[in-house]
Amino acid sequence: MRLRNIPGSREMIAENKWCIQEPTTLQGCWDELFKNNNPLHVEIGMGKGQFLMTLAKNNPHINYIGIEKYSSVLLRALQKMEEQPLENIKFIRMDAENITSVFAKQEVSRIYLNFSDPWPKDRHAKRRLTSKEFFSRYNQILKVDGHVEFKTDNESLFDFSLEQIALAKWNLDACTRDLHHDTDMIVGNIMTEYEQRFSAMGNPIMKLIASP
Ligand code: SAM
């Protein structure tokens, strides 16, 4: 998701109370920030935050972290927080390549990847959030019983992700190529902004759940 650059968005984010400015200083002690030992769920590439903020509202006993690379996109989520503040969610503006410097070993229970950028050129494959390089990073921060949930409408990216899960020697716990018609996997589904847009166009939504 690329929005028009909003002048001053970096400065607004730097002063925002829901946005963590120096996340590496919290590695291993996120529970101190939230003042509880609740499980920590992370969404990478959260866009404007609709999905994660709905989850946070519905699940007050889970702590959520939304990671987004672009200030102008993250700013939209922070504006929504002004309207509807939630105690169990924080945001980080960063490139997820550095995720292992932000969370300690086994600190995270679940990672959500929704409609991740496809990076269609082969030479950019390592940048895909479902590449084996990223699964290796997730391996370092996920709990032993943790998992990754990934949704997309992009079939090539979905096929690539299944290959990478096998290469990373992860387990494929669940998989569907038509989530909205899968009576089991659709239970509790929260739509993301992209999911709403692409399913309205008639694109099937694919989902997988994988664990180390
Ligand atoms: N998840 C949202 C949804 O489903 O509506 C947004 C999907 S949008 C296509 C992908 C988002 O991931 C963009 O906002 C992009 O800036 C962000 N993103 C892509 N690569 C990232 C990375 N390495 N680290 C953090 N955010 C990233």
Side-chain angles (χ1 to χ4, degrees):
M1 185 180 293
R2 301 280 161 85
L3 293 178
R4 183 179 50 83
N5 181 43
I6 301 171
S9 55
R10 271 195 182 238
E11 291 73 12
M12 285 187 255
I13 283 170
E15 288 166 6
N16 191 282
K17 63 178 171 185
W18 288 292
C19 194
I20 304 300
Q21 306 303 329
E22 292 190 31
T24 53
T25 61
L26 289 167
Q27 189 190 41
C29 38
W30 284 94
D31 50 355
E32 288 174 26
L33 178 83
F34 285 105
K35 300 188 176 61
N36 60 51
N37 292 319
N38 294 341
L40 191 60
H41 293 187
V42 176
E43 184 184 10
I44 303 176
M46 44 152 273
K48 297 185 214 160
Q50 169 179 302
F51 170 84
L52 206 62
M53 286 157 72
T54 308
L55 278 179
K57 199 172 143 197
N58 294 351
N59 301 285
H61 300 301
I62 295 174
N63 297 327
Y64 292 93
I65 304 281
I67 294 179
E68 170 53 50
K69 191 159 62 169
Y70 291 106
S71 311
S72 48
V73 182
L74 175 55
L75 194 58
R76 301 295 177 96
L78 298 175
Q79 286 165 343
K80 284 189 215 159
M81 286 290 284
E82 297 288 343
E83 292 157 24
Q84 200 177 39
L86 293 161
E87 288 302 313
N88 59 330
I89 186 166
K90 299 284 179 196
F91 301 94
I92 308 173
R93 191 194 63 74
M94 66 175 283
D95 189 320
E97 264 189 24
N98 304 314
I99 197 163
T100 55
S101 64
V102 168
F103 301 106
K105 211 166 175 245
Q106 296 209 31
E107 193 167 25
V108 175
S109 297
R110 190 175 300 179
I111 297 173
Y112 293 106
L113 308 170
N114 291 316
F115 297 80
S116 308
D117 293 341
W119 293 105
K121 291 185 181 148
D122 283 348
R123 69 172 191 276
H124 292 146
K126 285 184 186 173
R127 297 186 193 173
R128 298 175 194 148
L129 295 179
T130 52
S131 64
K132 61 181 174 15
E133 288 78 10
F134 268 97
F135 279 114
S136 157
R137 294 179 179 111
Y138 306 151
N139 225 352
Q140 292 180 53
I141 60 171
L142 270 181
K143 288 189 185 297
V144 277
D145 58 350
H147 69 248
V148 169
E149 297 195 10
F150 170 56
K151 291 196 277 190
T152 185
D153 71 324
N154 184 316
E155 196 158 22
S156 326
L157 182 63
F158 196 72
D159 290 340
F160 168 84
S161 307
L162 290 171
E163 284 166 22
Q164 299 292 295
I165 285 165
L167 284 173
K169 301 202 174 359
W170 276 43
N171 303 306
L172 184 63
D173 301 327
C175 179
T176 177
R177 288 184 183 263
D178 192 357
L179 174 64
H180 292 185
H181 294 101
D182 187 306
T183 48
D184 293 329
M185 287 186 76
I186 193 65
V187 176
N189 186 53
I190 307 283
M191 296 258 256
T192 79
E193 277 109 345
Y194 271 61
E195 185 172 354
Q196 277 174 337
R197 190 188 303 174
F198 291 126
S199 58
M201 289 162 61
N203 296 5
I205 306 301
M206 290 153 261
K207 177 172 180 178
L208 64 80
I209 301 176
S211 55

